[in-house]
Amino acid sequence: MKYRAIKGVQDILPPDVYLWQEVESTARQVFAPFGYREIRTPVMEFTEVFTRGIGETTDIVEKEMYTFNDRAGRSMTLRPEGTAPVVRAYVENHLYSLPSPQKYYYIGPMFRYERPQKGRFRQFHQIGVETFGEEDPRMDAEVLDMLRCFFERVGVDNLRFEVNSIGCDECRPIYRRALIDFLTGQIDSLCSDCKRRYEVNPLRVLDCKVKGCGEIKKKAPGITDYLCSGCREHFDALRGYLELLKIPFRVNPEMVRGLDYYTRTTFEVTSEFLGARSAVAAGGRYDKLIEEFGGPAVPGIGFAIGVERLAALIKDRHGIREPVPTVYFAAIGDEAEKAAYKLASEMRTKGIRVELDYSGASLKSRFRKADRLKATYVFIFGEDELSRGTVRYKRLSDGEQGEINKDDVMQFFG
Ligand code: HAM
């Protein structure tokens, strides 16, 4: 074989693509009543959008970005995630001058140079939302409620909602100091990356995927013990609203997330099926990011769902329902074939799915093919039917047969 797709990058073929379409249209239907509107940003941004947005010392920026110079020597990056680009668009287009909160969603490919494995790809897709201009914890609960509603509508259950608060500029430095003090005693057991990280960005040590560092994480001080009163109240209120909405959740004080822009609320939705560290959706609050991008002091919160992981969950649970042809047209003889050709065009124009067969094969083999295609009806159209101005049909599910007037075909399908 001459050409192959790039490692970690995959074709989405039918029938899987139907599942993707369903998931995307469900997302649109679920987000609309919550007031979210679609935004489409480019797949490519100036590299600083991500280095500034996600953080210089995160795994994504340090080793996972597809970064290259364009012909004019400017550094460009294929988006590894959607939040930073949407914030860039929000600030650039002065969307903050519109009434708050502004709510946006996006659906599209993201790129990360990660080691491909089950549920992890180099090109993957996210359905994400970003909400600007509301810091009330009721908004955090609302966003999680929308996520719950989405999973309910796509028919995925047995999910774990994990929430945490990682504090703000006021309390995080105190926690950071405590964490550094703790890590100083563990420095020899840290992996080489974490030895470097521990002073620059110690929270990233808690997100390290190396096993030894994971053991250390278990003994590390928890951020929730260091929250300032404002963050604590916000987190308590969020939990109260989640209970009010009956969203089952668990507080996971170890969850810090792999992106630097988060403040206060963070969350992940995980499933046993995806394995220990795999989230199907994740997100959180980023109350400083808009200012960081040169915008006003506007808080933000959002999440992104991993479509590949979600599709795997749905496929495992429900399989895929691929649309099948309604009519398989078996015309016999030149004149009948011509008339069938014309009738099929009229039926398709009205939205009826018709498969035409140009093979001239025997009726028996055409029936076999109609069966394989799972057609609902076979239409038989020969010299006799042609002269009578009718079409004979057979319903494959129960063998019911009949003859209808050619002009009544549309009514036949209601
Ligand atoms: P994230 O946790 O990096 O957050 O990604 C969100 C979701 O995207 C993950 O939970 C996972 O389902 C999926 N995902 C991430 N990387 C891969 C991969 N290599 N292969 C397959 N799926 C993957 C963000 O991206 C944030 N922008 C979310 C957010 C929005 N926070 C606030 N607003």
Side-chain angles (χ1 to χ4, degrees):
M1 223 261 305
K2 204 168 168 189
Y3 299 116
R4 292 174 172 282
I6 297 163
K7 191 178 169 196
V9 163
Q10 49 171 4
D11 302 309
I12 317 294
L13 305 172
D16 291 55
V17 82
Y18 292 106
L19 203 154
W20 282 57
Q21 288 174 352
E22 240 178 78
V23 160
E24 289 166 6
S25 87
T26 306
R28 293 176 200 280
Q29 285 166 27
V30 169
F31 299 163
F34 284 85
Y36 286 77
R37 297 184 298 159
E38 184 170 1
I39 186 167
R40 300 188 187 193
T41 65
V43 290
M44 193 164 65
E45 297 276 351
F46 287 121
T47 302
E48 299 88 76
V49 169
F50 302 111
T51 48
R52 279 293 286 282
I54 301 169
E56 299 270 4
T57 48
T58 56
D59 273 5
I60 296 181
V61 170
E62 277 186 345
K63 41 190 177 189
E64 295 171 0
M65 295 208 303
Y66 280 91
T67 296
F68 55 93
N69 284 345
D70 75 356
R71 289 176 187 277
R74 288 168 302 206
S75 183
M76 311 270 158
T77 295
L78 295 183
R79 62 178 182 195
E81 60 103 52
T83 310
V86 173
V87 171
R88 195 265 310 135
Y90 177 80
V91 174
E92 181 176 347
N93 296 289
H94 308 289
L95 301 177
Y96 45 80
S97 55
L98 299 168
S100 278
Q102 282 293 308
K103 301 169 171 179
Y104 302 97
Y105 75 87
Y106 49 89
I107 301 177
M110 308 289 158
F111 305 86
R112 293 185 196 175
Y113 194 82
E114 291 196 80
R115 200 161 49 80
Q117 51 176 257
K118 186 183 165 222
R120 197 195 287 162
F121 305 94
R122 288 182 172 168
Q123 176 176 333
F124 61 99
H125 298 73
Q126 285 185 343
I127 299 176
V129 314
E130 311 297 346
T131 316
F132 299 105
E134 185 54 77
E135 63 178 343
D136 194 290
R138 277 175 289 190
M139 183 53 85
D140 306 42
E142 185 184 308
V143 161
L144 278 155
D145 189 39
M146 188 164 83
L147 199 50
R148 174 209 53 79
C149 176
F150 172 78
F151 283 121
E152 200 176 296
R153 290 275 289 275
V154 292
V156 177
D157 47 16
N158 282 327
L159 295 173
R160 281 184 308 247
F161 280 66
E162 301 191 2
V163 299
N164 194 20
S165 174
I166 60 162
C168 66
D169 283 354
E170 199 183 308
C171 50
R172 194 146 0 109
I174 302 166
Y175 172 68
R176 191 171 175 272
R177 193 64 257 163
L179 187 59
I180 291 177
D181 289 348
F182 165 79
L183 291 173
T184 308
Q186 312 284 328
I187 187 90
D188 292 339
S189 323
L190 294 176
C191 75
S192 56
D193 269 346
C194 284
K195 282 197 175 95
R196 186 171 48 77
R197 279 178 194 140
Y198 110 103
E199 279 225 48
V200 212
N201 194 348
L203 256 76
R204 293 278 70 83
V205 175
L206 302 182
D207 200 41
C208 180
K209 284 147 192 133
V210 176
K211 210 170 156 215
C213 300
E215 290 302 311
I216 294 172
K217 175 171 121 176
K218 286 187 192 142
K219 290 177 271 165
I223 191 151
T224 29
D225 294 331
Y226 289 81
L227 296 181
C228 62
S229 59
C231 289
R232 167 133 317 279
E233 274 166 32
H234 194 274
F235 192 41
D236 288 347
L238 164 64
R239 293 189 339 246
Y241 288 116
L242 291 177
E243 277 157 20
L244 180 72
L245 293 172
K246 297 212 163 19
I247 301 172
F249 68 95
R250 190 174 80 85
V251 173
N252 178 359
E254 287 175 12
M255 185 181 59
V256 292
R257 311 269 303 116
L259 305 105
D260 275 353
Y261 48 62
Y262 290 115
T263 51
R264 293 190 164 169
T265 311
T266 56
F267 53 88
E268 285 186 354
V269 183
T270 57
S271 154
E272 293 267 298
F273 176 79
L274 295 172
R277 286 192 59 99
S278 297
V280 61
R285 188 165 266 294
Y286 44 88
D287 290 346
K288 294 287 166 210
L289 190 59
I290 291 117
E291 275 175 278
E292 182 80 20
F293 273 56
V298 171
I301 179 168
F303 63 73
I305 302 160
V307 182
E308 282 78 2
R309 293 180 189 177
L310 174 66
L313 284 175
I314 301 176
K315 205 166 156 180
D316 174 63
R317 194 109 175 73
H318 306 287
I320 300 172
R321 286 179 298 273
E322 182 176 16
V324 291
T326 313
V327 172
Y328 184 86
F329 226 128
I332 307 145
D334 288 351
E335 282 310 303
E337 285 207 17
K338 241 192 213 163
Y341 191 68
K342 188 156 170 287
L343 181 57
S345 161
E346 288 163 22
M347 292 169 74
R348 287 166 171 167
T349 306
K350 293 276 192 279
I352 300 162
R353 185 166 162 198
V354 181
E355 285 298 320
L356 275 174
D357 180 331
Y358 301 132
S359 71
S362 72
L363 204 54
K364 197 170 154 206
S365 87
R366 292 191 197 191
F367 262 99
R368 239 183 284 130
K369 195 157 166 202
D371 244 347
R372 278 220 317 269
L373 292 173
K374 300 193 174 70
T376 315
Y377 292 98
V378 176
F379 271 22
I380 305 136
F381 198 50
E383 301 293 317
D384 290 351
E385 289 79 17
L386 187 65
S387 63
R388 285 201 295 272
T390 59
V391 175
R392 261 192 308 132
Y393 70 85
K394 181 173 180 183
R395 188 159 61 200
L396 292 182
S397 59
D398 57 4
E400 192 202 281
Q401 304 196 34
E403 192 160 347
I404 45 171
N405 205 305
K406 205 155 77 65
D407 298 330
D408 294 339
V409 164
M410 296 316 165
Q411 281 101 299
F412 183 73
F413 292 99

